[in-house]
Amino acid sequence: MSISHYIKEIGRGKDGARALTRAQAQDLLGQVLDGQVTDLEIGGFCLAMRIKGETPEEMAGFIAAARARFALIPPSPGGRPTVVLPSYNGARKLPVLTPLLAQSLVNKGFRVVIHGLRQDPGRTTTAEVLEALGQPARADVAEVRDDAVNFVPIEILSPALRRLLDVRRVVGLRNSSHSLVKLINPCAERALVIGSYTHPEYLVSMAETYAAIKADALLSRGIEGEAVADARRVQRIDAFIGGQRVRLQDAQSGPIATDTLPDWPQDISAASIAAYIQDVLAGRRTLPMPIARQIDQIRRAHQAMASGVLPAEPATESAVSIAATAIATESPP
């Protein structure tokens, strides 16, 4: 087998490249994940798609190919609604609070699955914070529980996809797999995927892909690429219920209010972040308001999934209440 004919189509540069159909994209990535192509072809595919960019139909095909080869997570034995938190960025400058969101959701009756990387040089990962909290990674999808935070390393779900992610360390650039893992539902059953973006162009592409695959998802601007809400400010949140888009929450606006900044640690080591999370869960510190609002929107989205009725969009987010807790907006890292 070979993907050279696909590379010929997508590798003509930004203006000359041609988009693949969903079926072609599925076949292409399927061959890559099955190890049927050479390293040179993999490099050509990664670089060509990086230059061209994926269309929603291409990404839908990639997702279909990956899911067909995933060790899918079984349905919740207790019937809990499932929330999926992709975690592939971790902390560079600010605390990674994905475990705080995850445990808060478990405490409210959700089954939570986090998938991502165990370690990432120069960053503190969600997996490392969970280890510090006494919650080790799952070694098999059969170990996923209803009553605990479940971190499933990507290599457990798909060793081949992990190898494709690692191509970044060789060529120094992201490839299609880095977008795919933030979009995919790794569960055998319906689940709500919490998506995040850092740059406006990803808002557009992710939204179009969610619509194309009829996803159940929430989408908002992330903090350092993580799915948890930015604890410093409220961001817009859009829901996709069976691919249908509805706005759940507007971004806050207004003047800087430094007195509402979270009292999170300046030290972003796993131990320090874990201690902060334990304090919040024990009530010794306050759960940041943007995360509390995110949890409420997750609840609303799951209600919509169960009922089939889209939630009402906010007519106008209260300028008074938002401004009272407004925090400066900065460029994404």
Side-chain angles (χ1 to χ4, degrees):
M1 300 291 287
S2 173
I3 60 170
S4 60
H5 57 297
Y6 293 136
I7 295 174
K8 183 178 179 180
E9 296 298 313
I10 64 177
R12 298 175 182 270
K14 183 178 180 181
D15 298 323
R18 300 172 187 170
L20 302 177
T21 66
R22 185 182 300 203
Q24 288 173 328
Q26 183 172 348
D27 179 55
L28 187 163
L29 190 67
Q31 291 189 53
V32 170
L33 296 178
D34 289 343
Q36 297 177 350
V37 301
T38 66
D39 288 347
L40 186 59
E41 286 177 301
I42 292 174
F45 156 65
C46 290
L47 293 176
M49 291 303 300
R50 174 68 174 178
I51 294 169
K52 185 184 82 65
E54 305 91 2
T55 67
E57 284 298 299
E58 287 171 334
M59 186 56 72
F62 293 160
I63 290 170
R67 273 186 57 86
R69 293 159 176 80
F70 258 37
L72 293 174
I73 295 166
S76 162
R80 284 196 177 201
T82 300
V83 177
V84 175
L85 301 174
S87 185
Y88 289 84
N89 290 65
R92 289 184 299 171
K93 300 177 182 178
L94 301 171
V96 55
L97 299 184
T98 304
L100 174 59
L101 172 62
Q103 187 61 60
S104 298
L105 288 168
V106 171
N107 293 348
K108 290 186 177 295
F110 292 93
R111 182 177 74 154
V112 178
V113 173
I114 307 175
H115 62 94
L117 303 174
R118 295 175 188 265
Q119 297 177 319
D120 195 356
R123 300 171 186 251
T124 302
T125 65
T126 291
E128 290 168 335
V129 175
L130 286 170
E131 283 279 359
L133 288 167
Q135 300 184 53
R138 303 296 183 223
D140 190 279
V141 295
E143 296 180 1
V144 171
R145 295 166 44 189
D146 276 5
D147 59 350
V149 175
N150 301 282
F151 180 83
V152 183
I154 184 59
E155 58 267 24
I156 299 299
L157 298 171
S158 174
L161 192 56
R162 172 58 196 263
R163 288 193 293 272
L164 190 56
L165 288 167
D166 286 342
V167 172
R168 182 179 188 176
R169 303 191 188 284
V170 178
V171 302
L173 293 171
R174 296 172 73 256
N175 61 63
S176 299
S177 65
H178 292 87
S179 297
L180 185 158
V181 291
K182 291 193 173 186
L183 292 159
I184 197 168
N185 172 17
C187 301
E189 63 178 351
R190 198 174 181 186
L192 185 69
V193 177
I194 310 303
S196 66
Y197 67 93
T198 52
H199 298 83
E201 60 267 27
Y202 292 121
L203 166 63
V204 175
S205 63
M206 292 180 73
E208 290 177 344
T209 301
Y210 284 143
I213 64 175
K214 296 180 170 54
D216 299 303
L218 292 192
L219 181 59
S220 62
R221 195 170 199 169
I223 178 168
E224 293 199 319
E226 286 289 312
V228 64
D230 188 334
R232 301 165 298 176
R233 57 186 179 267
V234 171
Q235 297 284 3
R236 173 170 172 160
I237 296 179
D238 289 309
F240 296 80
I241 308 300
Q244 296 184 70
R245 185 175 185 173
V246 60
R247 174 169 47 93
L248 297 184
Q249 174 178 289
D250 288 321
Q252 71 181 37
S253 59
I256 296 173
T258 55
D259 58 326
T260 61
L261 288 170
D263 59 345
W264 55 18
Q266 300 302 307
D267 174 11
I268 62 167
S269 67
S272 177
I273 298 171
Y276 169 78
I277 290 173
Q278 288 173 324
D279 282 347
V280 174
L281 293 172
R284 294 186 291 270
R285 298 194 189 194
T286 303
L287 177 69
M289 182 269 292
I291 298 178
R293 288 178 60 126
Q294 183 183 28
I295 292 169
D296 186 57
Q297 304 305 353
I298 289 171
R299 177 190 58 79
R300 291 180 67 203
H302 263 292
Q303 288 176 342
M305 289 169 61
S307 68
V309 178
L310 294 180
E313 293 191 351
T316 302
E317 195 75 6
S318 170
V320 174
S321 63
I322 293 291
T325 55
I327 302 169
T329 299
E330 63 184 36
S331 298

